[in-house]
Amino acid sequence: MIKKWWHTSVIYQIYPKSFKAGRPDTSIGDLKGVIQKLDYIKRLGADVIWLCPVYQSPQIDNGYDISDYYSISPEYGTMEDFEQLIEACKNRGIRLIMDLVVNHTSDQHHWFQQALQAKDNPFRDYYIWRDPIKGGVPNELQSNFGGAAWKWHAETDQYYLHFYSDAQPDLNWSNQKLRHDIYDMMNFWIDKGVSGFRMDVIDLIGKDPDHQIKENGPMLHPYLQEMYEHTFGSHDLLTVGETWGATPENAPLYSDPERQELSMVFQFEHLQLDKIPGKQRWDVQPLVLTELKRVLNTWQTALHSNGWNSLFWNNHDLPRIVSRWGNDQEFRVESAKMLATLLHGMQGTPYIYQGEEIGMTNAAYASLADYKDIETQNIYRERIKKGFSHEQTMAAIRLKARDNARTPMQWNRDRHAGFSDATPWMKLNENHEDINVEQALHDPDSIFYHYQALIALRKKHDVLVYGSFRLILEQHEQVFAYERHFQGKTLVVVCNFYEQPVSIVFPGAEKRIILSSNYKDSSVELEDVYLRPYEAIMYLEKRGESGNED
Ligand code: GLC
């Protein structure tokens, strides 16, 4: 495998609106706030920042509705602030990747405003328009935010397509001029010094709406290869596609270096295991650990030599992992560290979503009004219409709403948790007095320092980066354990995924050196290993006299 800088990187994701208000008397996070906190990210050890959209936007979907790709939204600052941010990152050896949202624009984008004018406007074909069929929608395509994916435009007697809100019309990638306008825009940001792109819902760009094909459409890969050729292909950048439709079979199509497409994709198979198959993510079922093992094992093995994995539990669209599959009460610290160990021991590039490193928990607000996300509000209406009760719907929202991860970052115990001077745009999580960065930095046993240590291990041990993956105790219903092998070295990760203690038998005692653990006195000396609630141990197998420490 040809070595790439992003093989050893750890990425920190910033959702700017909720990260840090750097300007006085503002209620939302901004670019100045990001600059103020770069030393914190550096201290954690992450060396890449993925910045969620900061482009000009009416903020219907918090910036995933872009009205001008070439300017910064005033609530986040100015282009000078952005340039300062790039500079400040460079000074600290941190790279920055931008969010690239090119499946759709805002309806306020001048392309769409032009397109609305007339059927023969040159920009009309930048979007996807269809005549009504039998007086109604062209077909049954549904929006991911609930309801039909077609919106009627009375003035021009046609429907336009929107896979997200109707304020986010889908772009027509079959239009060559549109594609080249996008490539020009990408080159503008590359020239500004960004180190790559996270590509929003990129598996949708090859869509074939007439055959109701959303993801993985026939033209998807030709478009990505064309994009590579015209933009990042001649630079050494990191590109990661958000691909809800990725499978172990098709993921190498994106990330096999020979195909010249992307560095890696985000796949979501493991994060959909607590959803009833064939239903919406609001229809929740318990996670079965052996299923999680099966899925992650498949991905680790499938992409070992002809692709690259992204490793993540969290992002701005997912509930907090410690509340979801850990224990956000009595064992919050232990379970957050266990989940971190499990993930950071695998092969791929780890992503840490702001607040994950201090074990921030789900918002779990009582009232619907506190949930700001357009998706939550739409889904609430849709579920009530479908016959679910208010309580059932709110329970699902408390578990799965995207807002769970969007509460303002908890910096300290002060008023507004040190996030802003003014009342934050979104209600803080009530636990900010106990869970915050200041507390984490003061406590040598905090989740923060556990993440810091895991990141440092990845930088030190090649086996963590390049080692092959082998699941052990495959059928065990409570313990997630695996080995990594590289150049004669063996690294082992053993995690008790639950609160109940458990004993396991590992042959080959007295040959183990612990690299990481979430209990002070963990032991793997004996063949019988006893694991306490959520205990997670990472160790090297010592071989022969000289040992095999890296
Ligand atoms: C992606 C983003 C999400 C956004 C959607 C539409 O899934 O991560 O936040 O709402 O795309 O752009």
Side-chain angles (χ1 to χ4, degrees):
M1 185 186 290
I2 301 170
K3 294 194 172 176
K4 293 285 188 184
W5 60 265
W6 37 265
H7 287 162
T8 54
S9 288
V10 174
I11 301 179
Y12 190 83
Q13 182 194 347
I14 293 182
Y15 196 67
K17 200 164 190 171
S18 292
F19 189 59
K20 168 75 189 157
R23 294 175 294 185
D25 301 323
T26 49
S27 58
I28 72 162
D30 54 25
L31 291 175
K32 282 206 179 343
V34 177
I35 297 174
Q36 288 167 16
K37 295 298 179 186
L38 286 180
D39 287 332
Y40 168 73
I41 296 167
K42 180 79 186 164
R43 182 162 179 185
L44 180 63
D47 49 3
V48 180
I49 288 172
W50 150 23
L51 186 65
C52 285
V54 291
Y55 312 89
Q56 174 96 49
S57 160
Q59 305 285 338
I60 298 290
D61 186 21
N62 288 346
Y64 284 92
D65 47 323
I66 297 171
S67 52
D68 180 1
Y69 289 106
Y70 288 91
S71 56
I72 302 290
S73 226
E75 56 263 76
Y76 292 137
T78 61
M79 191 58 91
E80 286 73 53
D81 292 337
F82 182 80
E83 285 159 1
Q84 270 175 24
L85 171 62
I86 291 273
E87 196 54 34
C89 283
K90 280 204 180 119
N91 293 339
R92 291 167 176 79
I94 295 176
R95 301 183 212 237
L96 187 127
I97 67 171
M98 290 288 267
D99 218 305
L100 183 80
V101 190
V102 291
N103 173 67
H104 45 266
T105 65
S106 158
D107 60 354
Q108 302 304 308
H109 194 288
H110 77 90
W111 294 340
F112 193 69
Q113 289 298 312
Q114 290 280 323
L116 289 176
Q117 301 300 314
K119 281 184 180 160
D120 60 359
N121 185 287
F123 288 99
R124 181 81 172 180
D125 191 50
Y126 272 34
Y127 296 88
I128 297 166
W129 299 90
R130 294 290 182 269
D131 291 328
I133 290 189
K134 293 190 192 138
V137 288
N139 60 34
E140 293 309 309
L141 274 175
Q142 294 293 299
S143 153
N144 293 339
F145 285 171
W150 297 102
K151 168 97 174 173
W152 179 242
H153 183 240
E155 288 81 351
T156 55
D157 283 338
Q158 279 189 316
Y159 286 93
Y160 67 85
L161 184 72
H162 62 92
F163 282 163
Y164 292 89
S165 85
D166 57 15
Q168 293 164 292
D170 273 50
L171 286 165
N172 175 18
W173 273 72
S174 68
N175 183 308
Q176 193 188 4
K177 203 166 167 312
L178 172 264
R179 295 203 302 278
H180 285 268
D181 279 351
I182 300 273
Y183 305 151
D184 288 348
M185 176 273 287
M186 290 172 70
N187 287 325
F188 168 83
W189 291 101
I190 293 173
D191 292 345
K192 280 229 174 280
V194 307
S195 296
F197 299 100
R198 174 269 185 184
M199 301 183 179
D200 193 63
V201 290
I202 202 69
D203 57 345
L204 303 184
I205 63 172
K207 65 190 79 99
D208 177 354
D210 300 319
H211 297 96
Q212 303 201 35
I213 296 176
K214 288 174 126 178
E215 50 210 24
N216 296 316
M219 289 306 287
L220 169 63
H221 293 286
Y223 292 155
L224 287 177
Q225 285 167 3
E226 184 185 77
M227 180 191 279
Y228 177 101
E229 186 190 329
H230 289 276
T231 64
F232 50 84
S234 48
H235 306 262
D236 188 17
L237 301 184
L238 184 168
T239 51
V240 50
E242 187 204 18
T243 53
W244 283 84
T247 62
E249 292 72 39
N250 70 25
L253 298 179
Y254 299 88
S255 67
D256 180 345
E258 299 218 328
R259 291 178 48 87
Q260 308 204 317
E261 294 188 22
L262 306 182
S263 314
M264 60 187 115
V265 293
F266 287 120
Q267 64 83 15
F268 293 87
E269 196 181 349
H270 59 306
L271 293 166
Q272 301 191 65
L273 292 171
D274 56 4
K275 165 187 115 148
I276 298 174
K279 295 275 182 90
Q280 290 183 301
R281 76 167 196 279
W282 313 100
D283 301 298
V284 182
Q285 66 175 13
L287 173 73
V288 176
L289 184 64
T290 45
E291 277 297 286
L292 181 65
K293 293 203 252 186
R294 181 186 60 76
V295 167
L296 290 174
N297 183 32
T298 308
W299 280 92
Q300 285 288 295
T301 326
L303 269 61
H304 175 60
S305 49
N306 63 345
W308 192 257
N309 271 294
S310 311
L311 307 172
F312 70 105
W313 293 126
N314 291 282
N315 67 28
H316 63 291
D317 296 329
L318 301 168
R320 295 281 184 183
I321 198 64
V322 69
S323 300
R324 186 177 186 181
W325 292 345
N327 174 327
D328 65 8
Q329 303 294 315
E330 191 186 349
F331 294 105
R332 186 182 66 86
V333 173
E334 290 81 359
S335 64
K337 290 179 181 176
M338 180 277 289
L339 289 159
T341 310
L342 178 47
L343 195 79
H344 285 244
M346 291 194 281
Q347 186 175 30
T349 300
Y351 289 73
I352 299 168
Y353 174 67
Q354 65 185 44
E356 175 184 341
E357 76 282 9
I358 57 164
M360 278 177 61
T361 63
N362 275 356
Y365 298 137
S367 148
L368 179 67
D370 289 328
Y371 290 88
K372 301 283 178 216
D373 183 8
I374 183 172
E375 182 198 46
T376 310
Q377 298 295 333
N378 284 355
I379 289 294
Y380 179 84
R381 282 195 297 274
E382 191 178 291
R383 301 280 290 188
I384 295 292
K385 222 196 276 168
K386 280 186 181 160
F388 292 94
S389 70
H390 169 78
E391 263 324 310
Q392 283 169 323
T393 308
M394 287 308 295
I397 286 174
R398 277 180 212 118
L399 283 178
K400 287 297 191 68
R402 310 197 296 181
D403 284 316
N404 280 309
R406 299 180 178 185
T407 60
M409 183 77 181
Q410 297 162 203
W411 294 102
N412 57 36
R413 302 177 55 99
D414 298 351
R415 205 167 133 76
H416 309 317
F419 166 74
S420 55
D421 303 339
T423 305
W425 72 281
M426 185 180 180
K427 196 173 157 187
L428 280 160
N429 192 313
E430 280 171 10
N431 59 24
H432 66 266
E433 292 203 357
D434 300 318
I435 303 174
N436 58 64
V437 168
E438 196 173 84
Q439 181 282 329
L441 294 178
H442 274 117
D443 172 8
D445 293 327
S446 68
I447 301 167
F448 177 90
Y449 289 117
H450 190 80
Y451 271 88
Q452 187 191 55
L454 288 171
I455 296 172
L457 286 172
R458 176 165 292 266
K459 305 280 180 200
K460 189 170 170 215
H461 296 280
D462 271 357
V463 62
L464 274 171
V465 181
Y466 294 108
S468 61
F469 180 94
R470 196 175 75 84
L471 205 54
I472 44 181
L473 303 171
E474 213 167 317
Q475 296 310 319
H476 202 290
E477 290 172 3
Q478 189 176 342
V479 173
F480 197 135
Y482 58 85
E483 294 177 350
R484 304 282 308 279
H485 295 273
F486 187 65
Q487 295 180 342
K489 287 176 184 159
T490 301
L491 177 133
V492 184
V493 174
V494 184
C495 300
N496 178 4
F497 206 83
Y498 298 101
E499 187 176 329
Q500 297 73 31
V502 60
S503 279
I504 44 167
V505 178
F506 273 128
E510 293 172 59
K511 293 180 180 169
R512 297 162 178 163
I513 302 157
I514 293 181
L515 298 181
S516 160
S517 165
N518 56 352
Y519 283 77
K520 277 200 173 118
D521 52 352
S522 287
S523 166
V524 284
E525 290 295 304
L526 299 171
E527 289 204 359
D528 270 325
V529 178
Y530 177 74
L531 298 171
R532 288 160 284 185
Y534 301 100
E535 188 159 0
I537 310 169
M538 181 187 284
Y539 61 87
L540 281 175
E541 289 272 352
K542 208 174 162 190
R543 297 254 163 86
E545 288 282 285
S546 60
N548 66 351
E549 291 135 279
D550 275 2

